[in-house]
């Protein structure tokens, strides 16, 4: 992983991604006040390398952050395999909704 090895372009790319992801989560929090955001897919495989900057950006952009509860931002347990597991589970259904 280039970002883990300190590649400046990769690190900057992760920073930009985290900035936008955190801002998006802050917008969602303003609408729904969730207790947690679960980050899945390939992004969750990067762990704290990307989750920590997302959390910081989220807190920065959260409107009313001084009085609004701050939701946890955590990685999905299935990570990048979630789509595959979901598809397999859906295939087991006798009458899938599709």
């Amino acid at each position: 992983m280039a970002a883990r090895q300190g590649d400046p372009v990769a690190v900057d790319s992760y920073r930009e991604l985290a900035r936008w992801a955190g801002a998006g989560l802050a917008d969602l929090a303003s609408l729904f006040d969730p207790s947690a955001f679960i980050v899945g897919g390939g992004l969750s495989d990067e762990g704290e390398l990307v989750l920590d900057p997302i959390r910081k950006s989220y807190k920065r952009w959260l409107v009313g952050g001084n009085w609004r509860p701050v939701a946890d931002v955590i990685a999905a347990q299935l990570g990048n395999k979630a789509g595959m597991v979901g598809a397999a589970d859906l295939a087991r259904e006798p009458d899938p909704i599709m």
Side-chain angles (χ1 to χ4, degrees):
M1 191 62 51
R4 290 188 188 278
Q5 295 171 353
D7 179 284
V9 173
V11 170
D12 284 345
S13 296
Y14 272 38
R15 260 193 216 121
E16 187 69 11
L17 173 126
R19 184 173 77 89
W20 286 105
L25 294 181
D27 287 345
L28 288 170
S30 295
L31 294 170
F32 300 110
D33 275 332
S35 59
F37 287 105
I38 312 300
V39 178
L43 190 58
S44 66
D45 289 343
E46 296 305 316
E48 293 304 312
L49 180 67
V50 72
L51 290 176
D52 188 52
I54 288 174
R55 287 183 195 110
K56 288 176 182 171
S57 175
Y58 162 62
K59 289 176 186 174
R60 176 179 175 237
W61 291 102
L62 183 63
V63 175
N66 292 331
W67 54 268
R68 179 188 302 270
V70 176
D72 293 330
V73 179
I74 56 178
Q77 288 182 342
L78 295 177
N80 201 22
K81 297 177 185 164
M84 198 172 7
V85 171
D89 187 52
L90 186 59
R92 294 182 324 135
E93 294 290 322
D95 188 21
I97 306 172
M98 284 207 229

